C-alpha cells in the first residue's frame, strides 16, 4: 500500500495503556494495586495535590495499609513502566494531599502525562456520579470491569461511559477567520465556533448546520484536522477547518456576537497572552483545541501569502 502515505502519529497513543483485557481480571487488578498509583478526586472532581501543587497519587499499599485491593477504585490503565493507575473518590480514604486542584488549572500547569490521567479519571468519575440508576428501569446499578461498566441486576441492562461528540471549527472565507463570543465568557474572550452532533448527522453536516445556526454563515466545505477530549464534563471535540461564504455574521440566542477577523487582528490577539493592551479580542487558552485551530488557520494563511508573493515575484 505504497500509495497510502500515513506517518507515525504520536496523537494515536494515549498517556496510558488502558489495558482493556485486564478490566475483567480481578486477580490482575489486585496484583497491580499495591504498587499502583491512585488519583484521589473529591466530589467536585478536584484532584489531590502535594505542597508543590503537583499531582498527589499515593500507592494502593499506602491507602489500604497492606495488600488491600482496588475495591471501589476505577482502573485507568498502565504506564510505560507497567505501573497500574487507578482513581478513587477521596471521601473513601483518610489519605489526602496538601490541597485540591481543578482540571482546567492542572491542564495548564502540569505535564501532559499527569494532566491526561487526571482528565481520564475526572470524566469517568463524572459518568459514575450521574449514572447510579438504570435508565431503563430505575434500579440501582453496580459497577464492574474495573469501573468501566454499569450492570443493572434488576433488568439486565448494561451501561457504559458516555462521551458526547461535538464539532469545533475554524471557519474562513479565504481571507478572514470567523470568531464568536458567548454570553457569560470573560470580557473580550472569543473562540472559533462549536456545537454538538445531533442524531442522524454526519460530522460535516454538523459543521455546516452549527455555523449557520450560530452565525448565519454558509459553509461550502470542511476538512477534519484533529480531536481533543474535553472532560467538562464529557465531550470529545472534533476539530475542523471550513471554507465559507463571506456572509455578514448574524447571531441569535446561542452567541452574543460573531465577526470576521483579519490575520493581523488574530496575531494581535495572540500577543495579548503576554501583553494585553486592553482593547482587542482575547483568544482561548493554549490548552484548548480552539487555540490550536486558530494557530493552524494562521499558519496556513501565512503559507498561502508567502506562496502568492513568490508566484507574483516570479511573474515579473
Amino acid at each position: 500500500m505504497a500509495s497510502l502515505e500515513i506517518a507515525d502519529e504520536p496523537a494515536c497513543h494515549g498517556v496510558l495503556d488502558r489495558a482493556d483485557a485486564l478490566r475483567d481480571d480481578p486477580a490482575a487488578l489486585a496484583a497491580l494495586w499495591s504498587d499502583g498509583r491512585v488519583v484521589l478526586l473529591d466530589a467536585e472532581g478536584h484532584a489531590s495535590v502535594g505542597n508543590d501543587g503537583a499531582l498527589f497519587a499515593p500507592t494502593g499499599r499506602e491507602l489500604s495499609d497492606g495488600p488491600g485491593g482496588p475495591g471501589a477504585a476505577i482502573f485507568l490503565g498502565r504506564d510505560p513502566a507497567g505501573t497500574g493507575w487507578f482513581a478513587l473518590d477521596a471521601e473513601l480514604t483518610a489519605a489526602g494531599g496538601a490541597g485540591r486542584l481543578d482540571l482546567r488549572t492542572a491542564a495548564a500547569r502540569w505535564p501532559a502525562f499527569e494532566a491526561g490521567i487526571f482528565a481520564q479519571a475526572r470524566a469517568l468519575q463524572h459518568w459514575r456520579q450521574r449514572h447510579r440508576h438504570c435508565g431503563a428501569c430505575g434500579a440501582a446499578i453496580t459497577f464492574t470491569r474495573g469501573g468501566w461498566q454499569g450492570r443493572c441486576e434488576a433488568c439486565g441492562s448494561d451501561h457504559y461511559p458516555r462521551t458526547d461528540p461535538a464539532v469545533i471549527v475554524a471557519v474562513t472565507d479565504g481571507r478572514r477567520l470567523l470568531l464568536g463570543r458567548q454570553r457569560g465568557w470573560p470580557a473580550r474572550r472569543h473562540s472559533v465556533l462549536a456545537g454538538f452532533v445531533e442524531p442522524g448527522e454526519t460530522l460535516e453536516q454538523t459543521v455546516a448546520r452549527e455555523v449557520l445556526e450560530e452565525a448565519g454563515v454558509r459553509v461550502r466545505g470542511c476538512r477534519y484536522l484533529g480531536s481533543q477530549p474535553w472532560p467538562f464534563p464529557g465531550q470529545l471535540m472534533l476539530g475542523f477547518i471550513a471554507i465559507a461564504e463571506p456572509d455578514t455574521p448574524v447571531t441569535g440566542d446561542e452567541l452574543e456576537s460573531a465577526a470576521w477577523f483579519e490575520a493581523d487582528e488574530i496575531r494581535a490577539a495572540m500577543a495579548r497572552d503576554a501583553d494585553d493592551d486592553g482593547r482587542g479580542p482575547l483568544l482561548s487558552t493554549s490548552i484548548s483545541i480552539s487555540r490550536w485551530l486558530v494557530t493552524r488557520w494562521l499558519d496556513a494563511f501565512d503559507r498561502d501569502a508567502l506562496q502568492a508573493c513568490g508566484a507574483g515575484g516570479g511573474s515579473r
Side-chain angles (χ1 to χ4, degrees):
M1 299 183 68
S3 62
L4 183 59
E5 296 182 3
I6 301 177
D8 291 342
E9 178 54 70
C12 289
H13 307 285
V15 296
L16 293 178
D17 169 12
R18 299 198 175 196
D20 175 81
L22 299 184
R23 296 173 186 172
D24 274 326
D25 190 340
L29 297 184
L32 288 170
W33 174 257
S34 293
D35 294 321
R37 305 290 299 280
V38 185
V39 179
L40 302 175
L41 302 178
D42 66 17
E44 285 71 44
H46 298 167
S48 293
V49 297
N51 289 319
D52 57 356
L55 177 65
F56 173 74
T59 65
R61 180 182 295 108
E62 290 171 323
L63 292 182
S64 56
D65 193 24
I74 303 169
F75 174 59
L76 301 176
R78 295 180 299 191
D79 64 23
T83 300
W85 283 80
F86 299 83
L88 183 68
D89 290 342
E91 64 186 22
L92 299 179
T93 177
R100 304 288 169 84
L101 195 66
D102 67 278
L103 180 54
R104 288 181 186 272
T105 303
R109 295 179 181 175
W110 290 358
F113 179 80
E114 287 82 358
I117 289 174
F118 185 4
Q120 180 186 352
R122 176 68 184 102
L124 282 164
Q125 179 206 43
H126 184 271
W127 168 67
R128 286 164 55 114
Q129 286 176 334
R130 284 155 178 77
H131 292 82
R132 300 182 185 276
H133 295 84
C134 177
C137 74
I141 63 174
T142 301
F143 293 104
T144 61
R145 300 200 74 244
W148 288 80
Q149 177 178 329
R151 177 71 177 175
C152 177
E153 301 298 339
C155 71
S157 296
D158 292 325
H159 304 269
Y160 298 91
R162 173 172 175 166
T163 297
D164 296 319
V167 300
I168 183 165
V169 52
V171 181
T172 180
D173 64 355
R175 181 174 60 87
R176 302 170 298 176
L177 181 67
L178 181 66
L179 297 179
R181 171 178 168 76
Q182 290 187 9
R183 297 175 181 85
W185 279 2
R188 298 158 46 218
R189 179 76 66 196
H190 286 71
S191 175
V192 298
L193 274 55
F196 287 102
V197 180
E198 291 189 348
E201 276 188 325
T202 65
L203 299 178
E204 294 81 0
Q205 290 168 348
T206 304
V207 167
R209 175 183 56 77
E210 283 289 343
V211 174
L212 185 63
E213 288 179 358
E214 293 191 356
V217 172
R218 296 166 293 166
V219 166
R220 291 161 43 199
C222 63
R223 179 164 60 89
Y224 172 76
L225 294 181
S227 63
Q228 181 184 35
W230 197 248
F232 302 108
Q235 287 82 47
L236 176 65
M237 306 302 294
L238 302 157
F240 284 79
I241 189 166
I243 185 73
E245 301 290 350
D247 300 323
T248 300
V250 178
T251 58
D253 295 335
E254 296 193 44
L255 292 180
E256 180 180 86
S257 62
W260 294 105
F261 291 87
E262 302 282 352
D264 285 345
E265 294 176 294
I266 297 300
R267 293 189 191 93
M270 288 182 168
R272 293 186 187 100
D273 288 346
D275 185 16
D276 187 3
D277 58 15
R279 293 196 298 269
L282 300 172
L283 299 178
S284 300
T285 62
S286 60
I287 69 169
S288 71
I289 190 173
S290 170
R291 182 59 171 267
W292 180 77
L293 288 170
V294 171
T295 302
R296 290 289 299 269
W297 172 81
L298 187 59
D299 289 345
F301 178 90
D302 289 341
R303 286 196 303 271
D304 290 345
L306 287 173
Q307 291 171 3
C309 290
S315 65
R316 287 195 292 268

